[in-house]
Amino acid sequence: MAQRLWEASDELKRNANITAFLDAVNQRHGLTLSTYPELHRWSIEHIPDFWAMVWDHAGVIASKPYDRVVDDPYHMPGAKWFEGARMNFAQNLLRRRDDHIALVFRAEDQVVQSITYAGLYAMVAGLAKSLRAMGVKPGDRVVGYMPNMIETTAAMLAATAIGATWASCATDIGPDAAADRLGQVD
């Protein structure tokens, strides 16, 4: 039998996000789940309840709440999730504005860059302001021919914060392939 390489301490388990989520599920639904396998079993037997808990526990910010979690949880693919909800995922991803690290980028040449949540928010806000000044509005398409780096993530968040659709491809593909790929966004 294989030997475990590592096991979380009791303190780490007590302070884990999954433990807090399990406690919230138990409290709301009057359950006594105590292990991950029990939570998993409950999640697949009570799909709408589970995903409503995920929505609430994650603190999803929405300008309009959902009418129902899912129309048919057994119609995969094709189920309609959180119908009626209006939300902007950039707003949700940028809710933190502190000095904790938000992103770490490691280049092929071993250069490491990072940005804090506050720094990322400022970068995204500046890019969104520039995009709006160029006339970008909700429903527009914004594309990037950029390498995978922090600035690419910020550009995506800026476009989606406005309500535009974002598409990108890395610069390691040629210009003709990039034009073909990005032209499909139409």
Side-chain angles (χ1 to χ4, degrees):
M1 180 170 173
Q3 185 177 7
R4 286 188 185 165
L5 297 176
W6 178 83
E7 186 171 337
S9 68
D10 288 341
E11 180 183 2
L12 277 174
K13 291 176 187 176
R14 273 191 309 278
N15 295 322
N17 288 333
I18 191 72
T19 303
F21 180 71
L22 182 66
D23 292 344
V25 168
N26 284 335
Q27 184 175 0
R28 181 175 297 171
H29 294 280
L31 302 171
T32 57
L33 306 174
S34 62
T35 66
Y36 179 81
E38 289 174 349
L39 176 62
H40 178 258
R41 189 174 318 106
W42 180 79
S43 76
I44 58 178
E45 292 172 355
H46 301 89
I47 293 170
D49 292 333
F50 173 78
W51 286 104
M53 286 297 305
V54 169
W55 178 283
D56 293 342
H57 194 73
V60 173
I61 301 166
S63 59
K64 182 179 179 292
Y66 59 84
D67 299 320
R68 66 177 168 179
V69 173
V70 61
D71 64 340
D72 181 356
Y74 303 103
H75 184 180
M76 302 285 184
K80 293 181 182 154
W81 293 89
F82 299 105
E83 287 181 284
R86 299 267 313 157
M87 50 108 42
N88 183 301
F89 76 87
Q91 179 184 22
N92 281 274
L93 292 174
L94 294 169
R95 75 175 83 193
R96 286 184 70 164
R97 299 190 188 142
D98 57 29
D99 290 330
H100 287 87
I101 299 297
L103 296 171
V104 176
F105 170 73
R106 296 182 191 277
E108 290 178 12
D109 62 5
Q110 305 303 313
V111 171
V112 177
Q113 295 176 308
S114 62
I115 190 167
T116 64
Y117 285 99
L120 180 61
Y121 181 85
M123 184 184 290
V124 170
L127 288 168
K129 181 178 179 182
S130 295
L131 289 170
R132 283 186 187 100
M134 288 188 284
V136 176
K137 59 190 178 315
D140 285 351
R141 293 174 297 276
V142 176
V143 301
Y145 184 40
M146 305 170 69
N148 292 324
M149 54 197 285
I150 289 172
E151 291 80 1
T152 306
T153 301
M156 177 275 296
L157 289 168
T160 58
I162 293 170
T165 299
W166 168 263
S168 70
C169 59
T171 54
D172 57 355
I173 68 172
D176 291 338
D180 180 58
R181 180 186 227 173
L182 297 173
Q184 295 175 18
V185 176
D186 192 35

